[in-house]
Every structure is written in structure tokens, then in C-alpha cells.
Amino acid sequence: MSVILGVTSSIAAYKSLDLVSRLLKRGLDVEVIMSENATNFVSPEAFSALTKHKTSVLTFDKNINYDVKHISLAQKAEVFAIVPATANVIAKVAHGISDDMLTTTFLACDCPKIIAPAMNTKMYENPITKDNLKLCQKYGMKIIEPAVGHLACGDVGKGHLASLDDLEDAIVSELYPKPLAHKKIVVTAGATKEKIDPVRFITNYSSGKMGVSLARAAKYLGADVTLLINKDTNLVLPYGIKVAYFESVDDLFELSKANFEKADGFVMCAAVSDYKVKTYSDEKIKKGGELHLELEKTVDILEYLGKHKGNQKLCGFAMETARDDLKLARDKFKRKHCDLLVLNNLKEEGAGFRGDTNVVTLIDEKKDEKLPLGSKSELAFEIIRRLMGVE
Ligand code: CTP
């Protein structure tokens, strides 16, 4: 798959080297086109060395083949991203000005386009730039908003290039077909925490990785995604989704109910505590003899949603350790009114909480199917596609 990266003259141009290497690691073919001024910040040879393609700068470069390079590049591109994009290049592409290799190829391209602005805050907030960005959006380009940060001019404000995680995510996402466009998918992820006293709590080993992979897969496939995740997560979350945070089972229950009605698909991947203390202690519990905590059952959120569902497709998970895991999981599938249930057995090699891989069996009304060991991100696509019935 082919990505063209346009690089223009901002101090953030050096970050594009890192972005290129991330995209290459994903197996993508990347070609770079620089504005002439950008070569004052980073040498075109640095990009060529990474991409193994000659970096283009001028329209009429005598060293290249006899094909019309800006047209052949434009035909090859599946995504065209300008990172970083200066106020100048934004003004040009908003108005169809094509006076160098970068802007000419951009205009000749009909693939998805991404603009990642990076500039001084005043330039970014200038109504002219704002209007130009709106025009870009009107023409279908996606804008990856800059962040607030320390700028090269010494100011602190909006204009700092978006994070490489977000840029990589936004570019890769454009390479996927969008069978879930206009569908709303909610994913819950991570561990709940039940407070015992001001310093202690009950939780579990869930990292949230499987849930975050599911949210990312749903987003890549075009869905409008809401992720409900534990407050203290330190995972990189997918770009362009809505996020709400929970701590306790009750928090997650409220958020789940609030987001369920409008959802087309709901994936209950969070590892929900089955018990909480009956009485929370306001003061730190002091050490003494034996300590007995009285626990009471928490609400079963998935079961509640199953009982109250309309047209939503509901996916549950089953975390088992027993040998007769399939029977236990099928019971859960029925009891919780799921459309799909994902069984993983903690005792299976490659499955479980904190790793990057999983081994799952997909259970639906008709059959159960064990999938081979796979990365959580690969499996996430399979789960979302099965749940929503898309290819
Ligand atoms: N779940 C839930 N609310 C709970 C407990 C679990 O919504 N209070 C959901 C989980 O998110 C998962 C599914 O129910 O999607 C099954 O969770 P699991 O822990 O495997 O099973 P439990 O129902 O808790 O039963 P057990 O602990 O006895 O296996």
C-alpha cells in the first residue's frame, strides 16, 4: 500500500522522519515530496535513505524517468498526508494553487488526503488560516488538529504538530475500506476498581489492550466509536474516537446504559469485578489481627444490556481457566443474550491479560470456532467484522 508524505517548512519537519519509519515498519510503501523550503530543515537524502525512493522536491527534476512524475505519484498514492503543513501550503491547497512538485501532485491526486498543521499560534489562529482549513475540510481533506505546546518561536500555544501516534493512526486508518460508516460502536476496556478504603482497592490484571484494539479496528472500519476505559490507563488510544473514563463497576454501568440505546454494536470487553465491599471505610483500615471483608455482588452489566437490547449487536467476553470452558462460555452466551461471545482461556499459551496476543473461540447462535493464535489487533478486526456481519 502506498502513502505519499508531503513535508513543508516547519521546524517539526524532523518529526516526519520518525513518522516515515513508523509507516515503513507497517509494511507500507512511502514516498516523500518536500517543498523547497523544507529542505532547509531536513535533507531530502534523509528521507530517501529511509524510503528507498528518491525524495521529490522540484517538478522538473532531470534525474527521474520519462514518466510525468507528479501524475505517476498521484496515481499510485492511496493516502496523501502533508505533515507538517505550513500556513502557506494550506492556503495553496485550499485554493488549488499548484506551483511546485508537492502542490501539483496533491491537486492531481484523488485519494484520501490529510493535513497536519504546525505553525506559530497567531498564524494558526489567523482567520485567513482558519478559513483555508475550513475550505480544505469542505473539499474532503481531514485535518489533524495541532496540539498546545512549546513552539519554536518561544510561544506556548496551539500550533504544535499532533502526536506521532495520532498521525500514524490517522494515516493507516485511511487505508481500510469503511463498511461500518454511519454505525455507532461502543467498546468497554480495562479493569474496574472497587475501593475498600482511601488507599486500597479490588481490581484485576486486565490491561485494556484487547478493548483498545477492538476500538481501533472499529474506527479503521469506519464506525463512530466510543471507548469506555479505566481512568488510569496508559495505553495509546485510537485517534478520532470518543472516550469516557470509569473507575468502579457502578461508573461503568452508568456509562454503558447512557451509550447503549444509540449503539449499533456494543462490545463488553472490560474485566468487571464481580464483587465490591459492602461498606466502604472512610478511614484507612488499620492493621490488627485477621481482617474479614464483607463483599457483595456487583451488577452484571452485560446481562442487564442483554435483557434490555433492541437491535444492537451485543458482544461479550468469557475469561475462563477450566477445562470445560466451551460449555461455561456457551452458558454465558445464552444467559447474557449475546450475539457473539469471545472465549479466552487464561491457561492457553499466548492468551490472557497483559500480552499482545490472544487465542479466542468465537461463539454465536449456530457454532463455535477457535481461531489460531493471533495478535490482539488482528483478532480485533475479525471480532468486529463477525459481530457486525461485514467483510
Ligand atoms: N461482565 C459484566 N458485569 C459483571 C461481570 C462480567 O458485564 N459484573 C461481563 C464481562 O465484561 C464479560 C462477560 O460478562 O463480557 C463475562 O465475564 P466473565 O468474568 O468471564 O464471567 P462472569 O459473568 O463474571 O462469571 P464467572 O466469573 O463466574 O466466570
Side-chain angles (χ1 to χ4, degrees):
M1 287 192 167
S2 183
V3 175
I4 299 188
L5 198 71
V7 178
T8 63
S9 63
S10 148
I11 184 73
Y14 76 93
K15 294 185 183 169
S16 299
L17 288 169
D18 217 345
L19 182 61
V20 167
S21 88
R22 284 172 174 233
L23 298 173
L24 292 170
K25 275 188 202 137
R26 286 177 170 267
L28 302 175
D29 180 39
V30 185
E31 294 222 26
V32 175
I33 311 178
M34 300 177 79
S35 68
E36 206 165 0
N37 284 338
T39 62
N40 294 319
F41 290 95
V42 184
S43 139
E45 280 69 37
F47 287 110
S48 302
L50 284 172
T51 62
K52 314 286 182 259
H53 292 292
K54 186 176 189 310
T55 303
S56 307
V57 182
L58 302 170
T59 317
F60 302 107
D61 190 332
K62 295 195 183 67
N63 293 327
I64 49 184
N65 298 331
Y66 288 105
D67 61 346
V68 185
K69 180 103 184 192
H70 66 276
I71 300 296
S72 59
L73 266 182
Q75 282 166 346
K76 180 178 160 189
E78 282 158 278
V79 181
F80 195 139
I82 306 186
V83 184
T86 57
N88 186 48
V89 82
I90 291 167
K92 284 190 196 177
V93 297
H95 293 89
I97 294 172
S98 47
D99 61 354
D100 62 2
M101 183 69 181
L102 202 171
T103 48
T104 313
T105 313
F106 196 83
L107 195 65
C109 232
D110 58 6
C111 66
K113 291 171 181 168
I114 290 174
I115 308 268
M119 66 195 74
N120 161 274
T121 308
K122 293 253 164 56
M123 290 172 84
Y124 180 70
E125 277 166 4
N126 190 306
I128 302 174
T129 307
K130 293 252 159 213
D131 282 351
N132 286 336
L133 282 169
K134 274 192 207 135
L135 256 184
C136 290
Q137 271 175 314
K138 188 186 135 198
Y139 292 126
M141 303 170 208
K142 296 228 161 76
I143 313 297
I144 315 293
E145 290 233 350
V148 174
H150 278 275
L151 304 172
C153 52
D155 287 356
V156 177
K158 202 163 180 182
H160 202 73
L161 185 68
S163 76
L164 290 175
D165 289 326
D166 282 355
L167 292 166
E168 180 185 353
D169 224 7
I171 291 171
V172 174
S173 173
E174 291 300 332
L175 295 166
Y176 283 79
K178 304 282 179 238
L180 297 180
H182 314 299
K183 297 280 181 203
K184 284 188 192 305
I185 296 198
V186 182
V187 179
T188 71
T192 55
K193 257 185 192 174
E194 295 304 320
K195 287 182 182 162
I196 298 171
D197 69 10
V199 290
R200 302 174 180 99
F201 50 83
I202 300 169
T203 190
N204 58 65
Y205 286 121
S206 172
S207 62
K209 281 185 184 171
M210 189 70 233
V212 169
S213 296
L214 286 157
R216 183 168 282 117
K219 174 67 190 165
Y220 282 12
L221 296 174
D224 171 352
V225 179
T226 302
L227 175 67
L228 312 180
I229 191 162
N230 55 304
K231 247 183 205 164
D232 49 5
T233 182
N234 52 17
L235 296 176
V236 174
L237 303 184
Y239 173 74
I241 64 165
K242 299 178 197 96
V243 183
Y245 296 93
F246 63 81
E247 186 168 84
S248 66
V249 179
D250 288 338
D251 296 343
L252 179 56
F253 186 41
E254 290 311 314
L255 284 172
S256 298
K257 283 190 290 182
N259 283 282
F260 190 54
E261 204 182 307
K262 292 205 176 115
D264 297 292
F266 198 105
V267 187
M268 195 70 204
C269 186
V272 187
S273 175
D274 290 327
Y275 290 93
K276 60 181 178 184
V277 285
K278 203 161 184 183
T279 321
Y280 169 75
S281 165
D282 251 346
E283 303 294 335
K284 183 183 171 201
I285 301 172
K286 289 299 197 187
K287 169 166 73 200
E290 278 184 5
L291 174 68
H292 295 273
L293 292 173
E294 199 178 347
L295 303 180
E296 64 179 5
K297 268 184 89 174
T298 56
V299 57
D300 192 315
I301 302 172
L302 182 60
E303 194 171 334
Y304 175 93
L305 298 179
K307 281 185 183 148
H308 291 82
K309 89 181 161 128
N311 292 324
Q312 300 92 336
K313 298 272 182 217
L314 186 59
C315 174
F317 272 68
M319 176 63 80
E320 306 293 352
T321 54
R323 272 171 187 273
D324 58 345
D325 55 358
L326 203 54
K327 185 184 166 301
L328 296 172
R330 194 154 275 288
D331 285 349
K332 276 180 199 170
F333 172 82
K334 287 217 177 81
R335 181 163 36 96
K336 305 200 186 198
H337 306 277
C338 296
D339 297 284
L340 183 71
L341 190 109
V342 184
L343 160 67
N344 39 178
N345 191 318
L346 269 184
K347 294 206 173 152
E348 191 113 30
E349 180 115 9
F353 278 130
R354 281 173 289 188
D356 291 322
T357 60
N358 209 349
V359 183
V360 302
T361 302
L362 300 186
I363 297 172
D364 65 19
E365 197 58 57
K366 292 191 192 121
K367 58 176 191 319
D368 44 73
E369 186 187 346
K370 186 165 182 174
L371 303 183
L373 172 85
S375 71
K376 286 185 175 171
S377 34
E378 284 160 5
L379 291 168
F381 279 96
E382 191 57 31
I383 294 167
I384 294 290
R385 287 191 179 114
R386 291 278 181 107
L387 178 69
M388 302 308 291
V390 296
E391 287 298 311

